[in-house]
Amino acid sequence: MIPRKPVGVLLALAGVIGTVTVGAVPQATAATAASAVSVTVNGTAGLGSIPGGAIGLNTAVYDSNMNDTPIPGLLKAAGINALRYPGGSYSDIYNWQTNVAQGGYDAPNTSFANFMGTAQAAAASPVIAVNYGTGTPALAASWVQNATVTNKYGVSYWEVGNEVYGNGTYGANWETDAHCQTSSGTPVTVGSEPAQTYGCGPGTYATNVLSYMSAMKAVSANAHVCAVLTTPGGWPDNVTNPQTSPLPWNQTVLTALGVKTDCVIVHYYPGGSSAAAMLTATSQISGIVSTVKSEISQYAKVDPSAVPILVSEANSNVDMDTQPNALFAADMYMTWLENGVSNVDWWDEHNGPGTNPPSIVNGAQDYGDYGIFSSGGNNSGVTEPAVETPFAPYYGIEMLSKLGGPGDTMVNSTSSNALVRVHAVRRAGGNLDLLIDNEDPGTSYTVNLAYNGFTPTGSPTVFTFANNGNSITSATQSSTSSVTVAPYTLTVVQVPGSGGGGVTAPGAPGQPAVSGLASSTSGTSSGVATLTWPAATAGTYPVANYQVYQQTSGGGSTLAGTTSATTLNLSGLTIGAAYTYDVVAVDSHGNPSLPSPPVTFTVPPPANASCAVHYAISSSWSGGFGAAITVTNRAATAVSGWTLTFSWPDSGEAVQSGWNGTWSQTGSAVTVTNAAWNGTIAAAGGTVSVGFNGTDTGQDPAPTVFALNGTVCANN
């Protein structure tokens, strides 16, 4: 039986209207008419470019089929352009120099050189996890030397360890970590680690990451050295232990790394007891990303837009080899990328049949295999198909290659039905591609398409991966009004067109940068900022002006201003609110460009406020957390009687109980009034401290705006 990575953490999260008619798409039943769904694509609401090396896959040194001859061709055909090595928890026992995994199994022909042969043949970027568990900074640095300096393989991302938090710090041990000690203070024995370990918590990990980072960047200053974080909402995020982790893992690690925070890693295994629960889990991705960015800003105190986020393992644990997981794969990859993640790596290339008995899912055989290719194994008398036979998720990933590629622009799209998920991409030439993910197992839908900032000009090509299919089919249609999608089907509609003109449009402007971001004490809508962006290149006609759009909730956008310059001043911004803007260049004949990558920022409280607030999580556990708030009076006169107000950024956060004041909450708004004995805050530096225990649904980003007696306070 093929050795497997322990599953480890499984998230408990679980304008112009046209028509496209697809006659070849199968219906749920011949007698059932398709229901209608409205989909709108907003060509002026850019979500950024698809990164190079974004569509990744895990490989493992225990996989004897990892470098089989057909693999590079299969990977290229699917558009898989990144490969992670050496494989999950094996990363923390693997010595790249000797090709030996301490206590594990190394299959023949799986060395780093063998892996790179496959990666180069597949034109895939390598993502490497160095050995933290039993390795050293020097061993990691030698790997960087070999890969980056000697062989010039172009490795951009290096992870320090795998799921290091699974080293026994929180009472569950699947990850080898020789830094750990037993309860008696002796070093753990590799291969016989106890469930509970000591001396190897997040503080120890952060200290060692800094050592790894120093050694590795001394070899290649351009290497991104990535720290492992717990995934917001997944165990052991928000779990603390008085002896081993008095503060949450992410808070501890990011605080210690500070301005040296270079890159971060999370893993994603949404589970649940059904396909429906798995398929809806992707709606939580935006919250996960926003929480990670909030933590980077709050604890590391660096601009999170400058810190790449990688999802170096992702899969589900439901219906893994069948159509539901193909639907999940396509939606999951695009949702992460639309939220600004740099790379997503599916787990994994080959894995073998699972420990649970095989099952039949909607008429298809599921083997419980986490791989995208068959290993030909047998479980409970059920034998997988021939080695290298693709499972359904492979085709789900391949559908993304029909949607877009590196450098293409993702744009906002919305659906009127939550079971019909959509993603849209504008190609470099101006065409628009739309992915429609019908997650309803029993209903066909007629999808009516509306486009803002885009004009269809020709006949679309439609690609389909049908339920229980074993290939992707295509057809060319003659009109652009609607597309009918069958149950459990992935569809990509490639629509020729442009921003409107039929000539070469200007190139997209560069990503805007924010400067002069500030606010005053004169009111909550006193924020100002200046946007500046690199100029667009001219197309057939010269660039006449730039349109700056503010993206709004629900996938819309509003015109914030038009200018002939490459800068725009913003005012009247709400303190604590997040804003997203992008820019479209328009030429002298009215032809618009593709949108620039977006910029997102939050308006800070005024730095010169008469009060300041420090907010910090003091403890956390599954489903809840504790926090302390210190209010400082900066004014020359004392405060006599006070009320502190703030609002939660996440709807799942709530105050359960508080102390040193009277606490109340209405919706997301929290109010604290002084107790009888602490109503006075002395002048010029006097403080008062309050605290509370709260509940959450796995994500607890810090409030951004606090007000004392109605005056917005500075954050400190």
Side-chain angles (χ1 to χ4, degrees):
M1 181 177 290
I2 296 175
R4 292 175 185 82
K5 166 198 171 287
V7 174
V9 180
L10 297 180
L11 297 192
L13 304 173
V16 175
I17 298 177
T19 301
V20 179
T21 302
V22 184
V25 177
Q27 304 297 307
T29 64
T32 302
S35 300
V37 174
S38 297
V39 166
T40 300
V41 181
N42 190 340
T44 64
L47 300 176
S49 299
I50 298 175
I55 310 299
L57 175 69
N58 274 271
T59 62
V61 294
Y62 53 72
D63 175 12
S64 59
N65 301 117
M66 181 176 79
N67 300 303
D68 285 354
T69 300
I71 291 297
L74 287 166
L75 299 182
K76 290 184 75 173
I80 293 171
N81 51 28
L83 292 175
R84 181 181 183 241
Y85 177 90
S89 295
Y90 265 56
S91 303
D92 283 312
I93 58 174
Y94 180 69
N95 186 317
W96 79 274
Q97 291 178 329
T98 62
N99 192 38
V100 171
Q102 183 178 352
Y105 168 74
D106 297 282
N109 303 313
T110 61
S111 69
F112 180 55
N114 297 136
F115 161 78
M116 281 307 310
T118 295
Q120 290 183 311
S125 302
V127 177
I128 305 299
V130 300
N131 186 339
Y132 174 81
T134 59
T136 64
L139 182 63
S142 68
W143 203 343
V144 177
Q145 176 73 32
N146 177 275
T148 303
V149 179
T150 304
N151 290 300
K152 296 179 172 57
Y153 287 146
V155 182
S156 295
Y157 296 110
W158 300 83
E159 305 176 48
V160 182
N162 185 55
E163 293 167 353
V164 184
Y165 42 77
N167 60 3
T169 292
Y170 302 101
N173 199 327
W174 67 85
E175 199 77 17
T176 298
D177 188 351
H179 306 90
C180 297
Q181 298 175 345
T182 66
S183 58
S184 60
T186 60
V188 300
T189 301
V190 174
S192 302
E193 297 91 345
Q196 181 64 61
T197 60
Y198 302 88
C200 55
T204 300
Y205 175 69
T207 298
N208 285 308
V209 168
L210 288 169
S211 296
Y212 273 73
M213 189 179 296
S214 177
M216 296 165 73
K217 283 184 170 290
V219 177
S220 175
N222 294 325
H224 282 296
V225 180
C226 308
V228 173
L229 298 183
T230 58
T231 305
W235 190 93
D237 184 55
N238 290 332
V239 176
T240 57
N241 182 314
Q243 292 179 294
T244 62
S245 182
L247 293 176
W249 181 279
N250 291 1
Q251 181 176 351
T252 305
V253 171
L254 291 170
T255 300
L257 296 183
V259 296
K260 293 185 178 181
T261 303
D262 193 40
C263 169
V264 296
I265 301 292
V266 295
H267 287 178
Y268 185 63
Y269 288 96
S273 58
S274 67
M278 169 188 71
L279 292 171
T280 58
T282 56
S283 63
Q284 299 161 339
I285 287 174
S286 62
I288 294 171
V289 176
S290 66
T291 299
V292 171
K293 290 181 177 180
S294 175
E295 290 173 338
I296 292 170
S297 177
Q298 182 182 0
Y299 301 127
K301 300 190 183 305
V302 296
D303 180 0
S305 66
V307 180
I309 301 173
L310 274 64
V311 187
S312 63
E313 289 186 21
N315 204 321
S316 76
N317 66 344
V318 178
D319 302 343
M320 290 178 285
D321 311 314
T322 55
Q323 191 72 5
N325 215 20
L327 301 171
F328 167 77
D331 183 38
M332 184 269 299
Y333 271 96
M334 290 308 301
T335 304
W336 282 114
L337 297 178
E338 288 167 350
N339 281 277
V341 164
S342 299
N343 159 264
V344 182
D345 302 314
W346 188 262
W347 183 270
D348 65 330
E349 188 181 290
H350 305 87
N351 205 77
T355 56
N356 296 323
S359 61
I360 302 298
V361 178
N362 296 312
Q365 181 67 61
D366 184 75
Y367 306 94
D369 193 326
Y370 282 89
I372 61 170
F373 301 121
S374 171
S375 297
N378 182 287
N379 182 26
S380 302
V382 176
T383 301
E384 293 186 342
V387 177
E388 313 305 1
T389 299
F391 292 130
Y394 171 86
Y395 296 107
I397 297 171
E398 185 181 2
M399 286 294 283
L400 301 182
S401 69
K402 315 300 182 186
L403 177 67
D408 289 333
T409 301
M410 298 174 287
V411 295
N412 218 317
S413 56
T414 58
S415 169
S416 65
N417 189 321
L419 290 176
V420 180
R421 297 179 181 266
V422 292
H423 304 276
V425 172
R426 294 289 303 278
R427 298 280 192 164
N431 292 350
L432 184 144
D433 297 348
L434 180 68
L435 170 68
I436 305 173
D437 191 333
N438 183 4
E439 298 179 352
D440 191 321
T443 305
S444 292
Y445 293 97
T446 297
V447 180
N448 298 311
L449 305 173
Y451 313 97
N452 295 326
F454 174 80
T455 304
T457 60
S459 300
T461 301
V462 180
F463 294 87
T464 303
F465 179 55
N467 188 19
N468 299 339
N470 56 14
S471 65
I472 295 172
T473 62
S474 65
T476 300
Q477 306 301 316
S478 59
S479 61
T480 58
S481 62
S482 69
V483 56
T484 300
V485 295
Y488 264 15
T489 296
L490 283 166
T491 304
V492 170
V493 185
Q494 297 182 342
V495 186
S498 67
V503 296
T504 302
Q511 184 174 30
V514 183
S515 62
L517 185 57
S519 57
S520 73
T521 59
S522 61
T524 57
S525 297
S526 64
V528 297
T530 298
L531 297 180
T532 305
W533 54 90
T537 57
T540 303
Y541 305 108
V543 174
N545 57 62
Y546 296 93
Q547 297 175 344
V548 179
Y549 288 91
Q550 178 190 344
Q551 296 187 20
T552 58
S553 60
S557 59
T558 59
L559 184 63
T562 300
T563 177
S564 59
T566 56
T567 185
L568 183 70
N569 294 323
L570 306 173
S571 62
L573 304 177
T574 301
I575 298 172
Y579 291 86
T580 298
Y581 292 90
D582 59 15
V583 184
V584 172
V586 181
D587 69 21
S588 58
H589 282 60
N591 300 300
S593 72
L594 296 177
S596 73
V599 61
T600 298
F601 60 88
T602 299
V603 182
N608 62 343
S610 59
C611 55
V613 171
H614 179 75
Y615 174 95
I617 293 176
S618 54
S619 61
S620 58
W621 53 92
S622 181
F625 65 104
I629 302 174
T630 300
V631 182
T632 301
N633 179 17
R634 294 174 167 180
T637 58
V639 173
S640 180
W642 53 265
T643 298
L644 181 71
T645 57
F646 62 90
S647 293
W648 295 118
D650 187 271
S651 60
E653 295 175 287
V655 174
Q656 187 176 48
S657 61
W659 49 91
N660 294 353
T662 301
W663 293 76
S664 63
Q665 181 171 337
T666 302
S668 62
V670 179
T671 300
V672 194
T673 58
N674 62 270
W677 49 270
N678 65 355
T680 299
I681 311 177
T687 63
V688 65
S689 295
V690 297
F692 68 92
N693 288 327
T695 59
D696 63 33
T697 54
Q699 301 165 29
D700 45 28
T704 54
V705 179
F706 295 86
L708 182 68
N709 292 342
T711 298
V712 177
C713 300
N715 290 339
N716 66 1

